[in-house]
Amino acid sequence: MAMQTIRADIVIIGSGVGGSAVAHQLAGTGARILILERGDFLPNEPQNSDAEAVFRQARYRTREEWLDAGGARYRPGQYYYVGGHTKFYGTAMFRFRVQDFEATTIDGALSPAWPVGYQDLAPHYAEAERLYGVRGQSGLDPTEPPRAAFPHAAIPHEPTIAALAGRFGAQGLHPFPMPSAVDFGDGGACRRCGTCDAFACRFGAKGDAETRVLRPLLAHPDVRLERRAEVTRLIADERGHRIVAAEVRRDGALLRVEAPLFVLSAGAINSALILLRSACEAAPDGIANRSGVVGRHLMNHHLTGLMAMNPLARNDTKFPKTLSVNDFYDGLPGDSDARGNIQMLGNIQGPMIRTAYPAMPGFLADWLGRHSVDVLAMSEDTPDPDSRVRLLDGDRVEVDYRPGGARAHDRFVRHVKGVLRRVGFPVVLRHGFGIQAPSHQCGTVRMGDDPATSALNALCRAHDHPNLYVVDGGFFPSSAALNPALTIAAQALRVGAHLRGMRATLGHAA
Ligand SMILES: Cc1cc2nc3c(=O)[nH]c(=O)nc-3n(C[C@H](O)[C@H](O)[C@H](O)COP(=O)(O)OP(=O)(O)OC[C@H]3O[C@@H](n4cnc5c(N)ncnc54)[C@H](O)[C@@H]3O)c2cc1C
């Protein structure tokens, strides 16, 4: 039986931050936009905010299995839904700092420069903040890049977090309201339900890619979303120059989707896998991979959770993610390599703790959850070419992750623990988040000016293919030490604006 063929003017693969931003820019240009998304809409159901269902039963996590470098199988913390990982994200919407786009080193390892600077992204950061409804207050973060006011006022601290901000201030630090994409305030949808970071929102209050960007676009006659449509590979012409089609698996059948322009945004790991799986005679190492970098330089941030305990004080905060500290973003006194961002974690509950420590009795985990103030220490992960995702024997996925800068992060964490003790927490427990939940994955399809060492140019176009763009976190040359989503959105909006301009000058052939 012949394979069904669908045609569009622009095919976007993945409906997360990157894919939806490009669709936002191109909707209304007259182009027929087809978004291919392997997941479905996330059901709105009571389990969305049930820690037992979300963590212990891993209800929403993919059922696929990957291999670690030792060959052990695991079920990764990957979520495939319309809106991508923002359905579960913690709503921290940071701009990277000016210096994050410049080359630096951490304990001797290179963090390379980006082919774009902060000034290139600044207008798109502003647009992304507007789209996602980011709340914050400028002028208080000592590392803040040049910017105008936030679109909405900052979310106020709850009492425990306000007290913590005061105690940080008394230590000479400069705490500031964390920029957050939650529809909170008069007339807002947020009900302070107590579950947000790592949970899906039942009230439409989380500023995720589906709610804020994609849903409004679907009313547009030229924007079509195909759900449960998993792209298995891209198909190039005989010379391996232009991409002519995507092969798609939908409900057990294979489809061929043809278009003059393809935008890949399946997430850093899956985009690399699609490109590698697309190897053909003309591109034997995979599409967009003449440089050999596709799948390499996998980064994920060094993320350490710190549970600051005060047995005498109960913490009833519903939405703790209103506070951040960047005083150590450029280094500790006398140790400029030990550096990073401090921000609050979401509300930690007993079942979440028992997922990491299954032997812990439930009553103890619940007590710890209620008596801790939970902080995330985040440091930059430097790119290592041997840190990679690859396909074994055709289609088994191996993630051989080699974080760069782990020792520097450890020194940073020890310093942060000391700060927390000084502000009133005699016991600080530490837990590292590993690559099994690759929440900040990036770097696997890096951009750069040199086609020998990068897969994409500064506009995320494949050096090897004029009609292929990659706009998820895969394009990051380095990871900075701040949450990635706003930077993915800003660069994808920039790419989308460029494509819109191309269509205007070239007509529908662009
Ligand atoms: C629990 C959690 C908390 C987080 N908190 C924050 C935070 O507070 N702030 C922040 O900035 N970042 C946060 N992040 C990270 C942030 O969510 C991601 O960086 C961001 O969403 C990535 O966007 P993306 O568009 O690159 O990829 P994705 O969100 O992964 O989107 C890719 C899309 O492509 C689809 N797809 C995958 N493979 C295929 C295929 N073969 N065919 C078709 N479709 C495919 C996926 O289903 C998905 O919808 C968090 C992540 C997690 C998991």
Side-chain angles (χ1 to χ4, degrees), residues 49-59 199 349 351-352 354:
S49 42
D50 176 351
E52 198 70 36
V54 173
F55 283 85
R56 304 255 301 158
Q57 294 157 18
R59 181 179 177 85
F199 293 86
Q349 302 180 32
M352 298 152 104
R354 290 181 68 216

Side-chain angles (χ1 to χ4, degrees), residues 12-20 36-40 55 77-94 178 197-199 206 229-233 248 264-268 270-271 274 277 321 343 437-441 471-474 476 482-488:
I12 297 174
I13 300 164
S15 65
V17 180
S20 58
L36 300 170
E37 166 56 54
R38 76 186 277 172
D40 209 330
F55 283 85
Q78 288 275 110
Y79 300 90
Y80 301 136
Y81 294 96
V82 174
H85 284 95
T86 56
K87 294 305 292 178
F88 294 89
Y89 85 146
T91 75
M93 284 298 235
F94 277 99
M178 196 187 72
D197 192 359
F199 293 86
K206 181 181 280 196
E230 181 183 356
V231 172
T232 50
R233 65 186 179 116
V248 180
L264 178 57
S265 189
N270 276 304
S271 282
I274 290 171
R277 213 179 275 125
K321 290 187 75 86
Q343 61 185 258
S439 53
H440 290 189
Q441 58 186 268
V471 297
D472 52 49
F476 283 25
L482 288 166
N483 318 59
L486 196 75
T487 299
I488 299 171

